[in-house]
Amino acid sequence: MPTYNCGKRFLFVHIPRTAGRFLEENFKENGFELEQGYIWDSVDGIEVAHFHRELYEKHLDVEGIPHIAIIRNPINRFFSASSWLKRMYGEDIQEAMEDPIMFSMMLNNFPLPEAVNWYRPQVDFISDKTYLWRFEDGFKEKFSEWISNILGVSFRIHDVPYEKLSYDESNRLERTDKLIDNIKSLYRKDIEQLYPELAA
């Protein structure tokens, strides 16, 4: 959840699994510099890069500057992060994750506390003053125009490489109806406030 500066300061509300690493490289390409040191350090048990609202308001100077966040279909976001669950709990967790009680227990007791925000609801990251862009709308010219208008500076998306995670991100849980029901329950507020079309 770093702040950037290039004459114009802004907060990038980095919700995990919403193209954050790609965008961070693009901020650098556009001349924006991080104001924090190493963003993968943990403060209050959470990585600075993935601070939710309570922590970035507590630890970062964000009052009066634009807040920008990418939101994503919460079901797709969960499955994108599910490879980390398999890495932490083992390959054979599909049945456990389909059980509502086990699903809650495994997420609430995630063995890597600093990464727990990978599964936190998106509404915990944003406020009524956060500018929101949907991941599903892509990162092309309209996105560049959107950011440029918010910041009042020219911003262009570049096809830049970004650091990949050190494990197989494609090794994900299976999309079953039972698991999707659990995910919808977990992200009820995300669906109500951000993706009401998923409520049906």
Side-chain angles (χ1 to χ4, degrees):
M1 217 55 57
T3 53
Y4 287 87
N5 197 335
C6 179
K8 177 79 173 186
R9 298 181 67 237
F10 73 96
L11 170 70
F12 175 48
V13 181
H14 183 176
I15 301 171
R17 310 311 295 175
T18 60
R21 285 168 289 152
F22 170 74
L23 291 174
E24 285 169 354
E25 291 303 319
N26 267 279
F27 296 143
K28 294 175 191 173
E29 285 289 318
N30 281 272
F32 285 92
E33 294 185 5
L34 271 170
E35 293 186 326
Q36 289 71 47
Y38 190 63
I39 60 173
W40 301 109
D41 287 344
S42 293
V43 177
D44 286 351
I46 299 293
E47 295 166 331
V48 174
H50 296 145
F51 271 175
H52 52 285
R53 180 182 175 187
E54 178 186 351
L55 292 186
Y56 65 69
E57 288 182 347
K58 177 181 177 182
H59 293 291
L60 304 180
D61 176 20
V62 299
E63 189 64 34
I65 64 173
H67 297 186
I68 295 170
I70 312 303
I71 57 172
R72 185 177 184 178
N73 173 315
I75 297 169
N76 293 341
R77 175 178 171 249
F78 180 90
F79 280 108
S80 176
S82 69
S83 56
W84 192 252
L85 287 166
K86 292 183 79 171
R87 186 175 187 215
M88 290 290 101
Y89 285 116
E91 289 293 315
D92 193 22
I93 63 165
Q94 182 74 36
E95 187 175 343
M97 292 299 289
E98 291 175 357
D99 178 89
I101 295 173
M102 289 298 296
F103 177 85
S104 294
M105 285 179 59
M106 292 169 81
L107 290 179
N108 290 334
N109 297 288
F110 193 67
L112 193 64
E114 61 268 27
V116 75
N117 272 8
W118 282 42
Y119 307 100
R120 182 182 292 273
Q122 294 172 86
V123 294
D124 290 353
F125 291 86
I126 62 177
S127 71
D128 58 2
K129 58 188 173 188
T130 311
Y131 293 94
L132 302 178
W133 180 268
R134 283 191 174 205
F135 179 94
E136 295 78 18
D137 290 335
F139 302 98
K140 297 188 184 295
E141 187 174 335
K142 285 188 177 180
F143 177 79
S144 295
E145 291 174 3
W146 178 76
I147 290 239
S148 297
N149 288 335
I150 293 168
L151 300 182
V153 298
S154 178
F155 184 93
R156 297 187 62 81
I157 284 288
H158 301 271
D159 185 16
V160 292
Y162 60 92
E163 186 177 347
K164 304 292 185 182
L165 298 178
S166 60
Y167 62 93
D168 182 5
E169 295 183 63
S170 67
N171 184 21
R172 300 174 180 174
L173 290 165
E174 184 183 343
R175 295 176 71 106
T176 64
D177 290 342
K178 287 181 180 179
L179 182 49
I180 289 173
D181 285 344
N182 291 342
I183 297 166
K184 283 186 171 183
S185 179
L186 174 66
Y187 297 129
R188 179 181 53 82
K189 289 184 179 179
D190 282 358
I191 291 171
E192 289 174 355
Q193 296 179 35
L194 306 173
Y195 284 84
E197 65 272 21
L198 297 177

